[in-house]
Amino acid sequence: MYAVFLVATLDYGRHWLPVPWWVCGIGYALFLLGVGILTWAEAVNKFFEKSVRIQTDRGHKVIDTGPYAIVRHPGYVGFMLFFVGSALCLGSVWALIPAGLASGLLVLRTRWEDQTLQAELPGYQEYAQRVRYQLIPGVW
């Protein structure tokens, strides 16, 4: 995540690949959309955290409201939009490289987390049948 900002900082003022103002505008829109989705996902899911674990000590259960009614991992969607939006709104095409790598890692983590939840969280398999898509509605 920090690599996006590091690369954008190194790119600042050098204009290795100039970015038009409207691309920066798209970046701001993606950034704000990502932050909004991430905030919504965290607000709805009291079990939202950095690690992948079943929180039996807190009565972990399936959350299927808010953005979780659309995709199973909306927090990761928010992070990916945040990464790409940050690179673009900072005017750095080069920062899309670490943004893409970070997004790729989140796709792998999504698969791992989904497997864990289906195996260990009661009710998750039924939820996965209702909400078929993990990250992108209609695609995956």
Side-chain angles (χ1 to χ4, degrees):
M1 173 170 87
Y2 297 114
V4 172
F5 299 105
L6 176 63
V7 172
T9 301
L10 292 172
D11 192 20
Y12 181 76
R14 290 173 179 77
H15 303 290
W16 291 328
L17 287 173
V19 176
W21 66 268
W22 57 269
V23 172
C24 291
I26 291 170
Y28 280 110
L30 293 174
F31 174 86
L32 291 172
L33 181 62
V35 169
I37 291 171
L38 181 59
T39 302
W40 187 21
E42 287 186 65
V44 169
N45 186 356
K46 70 178 184 174
F47 306 105
F48 194 103
E49 69 169 47
K50 292 186 277 187
S51 65
V52 177
R53 70 179 183 95
I54 307 303
Q55 301 171 41
T56 52
D57 55 317
R58 297 182 59 215
H60 197 163
K61 63 179 181 148
V62 174
I63 304 298
D64 59 1
T65 59
Y68 294 92
I70 303 166
V71 294
R72 297 197 306 254
H73 302 280
Y76 295 151
V77 173
F79 273 123
M80 289 181 210
L81 292 170
F82 172 84
F83 295 150
V84 172
S86 295
L88 293 178
C89 74
L90 291 170
S92 176
V93 174
W94 290 105
L96 287 173
I97 294 170
L101 292 171
S103 295
L105 290 173
L106 284 178
V107 168
L108 291 174
R109 181 181 165 120
T110 299
R111 292 182 55 81
W112 172 45
E113 183 172 328
D114 210 69
Q115 290 171 350
T116 301
L117 292 170
Q118 288 202 37
E120 299 178 21
L121 184 62
Y124 193 84
Q125 287 182 351
E126 294 79 14
Y127 165 68
Q129 289 174 349
R130 285 193 322 273
V131 179
R132 293 185 13 207
Y133 302 106
Q134 293 182 40
L135 294 173
I136 304 170
V139 178
W140 184 65

